[in-house]
Amino acid sequence: MKFIIAPAKKMVSAQDDFPVQSQPQFRDQAAALLRQMQQLTQAEMQSLWQTSDRLTQAAYQQLQTSDVTRQQSPAIFSYVGIQYQYMAPDLLDDAGLAYIQQHLRILSGLYGILRPFDGIVPYRLEMQTRLAVPPYRHLYNFWGDRLYQALTAIPGPIINLASDEYAKTIRPYLQPNDTFIDIRFTHLVNGKLKTRATYAKIARGEMIRYAAMHQVSTVAELTEFDSPAYRYDQERSTETELVFVAK
């Protein structure tokens, strides 16, 4: 079983938390993307990032000194979005940390795909950013099916907790024998199921934490996820989608 999640926009250097255990599978490709961005002007990067002047200046300064081989932090502690806060990896025991290293994969615009303890540096590059790296027109072209191939090198169900932006790096390449399970955290509004982004991010982090704490190994076990906010809805779920509805 492999869980896929999206990265967070906000990042920190967390070198004092836990040691790096591994290197990104596509570190050379990440270095190439970084060099491509470093050749662009601040105005060109602002256009790609769609950021304010203040945020652009800080991000561009960081970009100019970035090196994927130096001052690395484990990926799981480098992202500080809501999902990662509620995953709370720093509170997991050794067995839980070993579980996420084996079963969790973070999809990334810069690094492609990451294990939690792969060493990375802070960056700003969303998957949907239209960064051209000739002959590739954008990052979806650049990565192609490489992330899918890396993810499926070890057989087992893929549990999708990523946003559509990042799931698009995997979904087009799925084969008939692949098991790809979407997880939906929803609210019933006027008889229709709606996803509220912030609450869904919280629940995604909590599900990863639950899986690590309970050493979950089957899709069926995920239906027992004891979320404080959601309950599993068997009637609305299918073989390829587990639906959780707000309590």
Side-chain angles (χ1 to χ4, degrees):
M1 177 178 291
K2 292 150 290 187
F3 297 86
I4 55 172
I5 61 173
K9 288 183 181 180
K10 186 177 180 181
M11 298 185 69
V12 296
S13 179
Q15 295 171 291
D16 296 331
D17 291 344
F18 286 81
V20 168
Q21 296 180 9
S22 49
Q23 290 298 308
Q25 181 174 348
F26 298 113
R27 193 178 73 175
D28 290 346
Q29 288 81 358
L33 289 172
L34 198 60
R35 287 194 297 271
Q36 182 71 11
M37 290 191 291
Q38 288 169 338
Q39 293 172 16
L40 300 179
T41 67
Q42 183 168 315
E44 289 171 326
M45 286 309 305
Q46 182 171 23
S47 179
L48 287 173
W49 285 329
Q50 295 292 296
T51 47
S52 67
D53 290 345
R54 184 176 63 83
L55 188 56
T56 298
Q57 184 176 7
Y60 193 74
Q61 288 177 350
Q62 180 186 73
L63 171 64
Q64 295 306 307
T65 59
S66 291
D67 181 336
V68 296
T69 67
R70 299 174 56 211
Q71 296 181 314
Q72 297 177 330
S73 304
I76 198 68
F77 298 105
S78 299
Y79 298 109
V80 291
I82 294 172
Q83 178 178 220
Y84 292 84
Q85 293 172 21
Y86 280 82
M87 194 189 309
D90 53 321
L91 299 180
L92 291 173
D93 60 17
D94 289 345
L97 293 174
Y99 179 93
I100 62 172
Q101 176 72 352
Q102 180 179 358
H103 295 281
L104 179 63
R105 296 295 180 266
I106 304 165
L107 302 176
S108 161
L110 182 66
Y111 287 95
I113 191 167
L114 292 163
R115 292 165 292 185
F117 284 92
D118 283 352
I120 67 171
V121 297
Y123 65 91
R124 189 176 190 90
L125 185 65
E126 297 177 54
M127 189 64 75
Q128 63 188 0
T129 302
R130 298 193 70 83
L131 175 68
V133 185
Y136 306 105
R137 295 182 293 111
H138 48 67
L139 291 175
Y140 291 109
N141 288 156
F142 177 84
W143 289 115
D145 71 346
R146 283 184 284 192
L147 310 190
Y148 166 79
Q149 295 294 343
L151 185 64
T152 56
I154 300 175
I158 301 168
I159 309 301
N160 178 29
L161 290 169
S163 61
D164 289 342
E165 173 188 353
Y166 287 90
K168 281 169 61 177
T169 64
I170 305 299
R171 202 183 297 276
Y173 306 104
L174 293 171
Q175 301 299 306
N177 60 336
D178 291 324
T179 301
F180 189 85
I181 309 293
D182 289 306
I183 306 293
R184 290 186 63 198
F185 294 105
T186 65
H187 292 251
L188 194 58
V189 181
N190 297 326
K192 296 183 178 180
L193 294 178
K194 304 287 187 181
T195 298
R196 294 178 175 172
T198 299
Y199 295 107
K201 289 177 182 178
I202 291 172
R204 289 167 184 164
E206 290 174 337
M207 176 171 274
I208 295 296
R209 179 170 177 77
Y210 172 86
M213 290 178 64
H214 293 84
Q215 300 289 299
V216 168
S217 60
T218 66
V219 175
E221 288 178 272
L222 288 178
T223 67
E224 301 172 10
F225 170 47
D226 57 350
S227 167
Y230 295 92
R231 59 174 173 77
Y232 173 63
D233 192 318
Q234 184 174 2
E235 292 185 359
R236 291 186 170 92
S237 298
T238 67
E239 289 185 357
T240 58
E241 183 177 71
L242 301 186
V243 177
F244 292 79
V245 180
K247 295 177 180 177

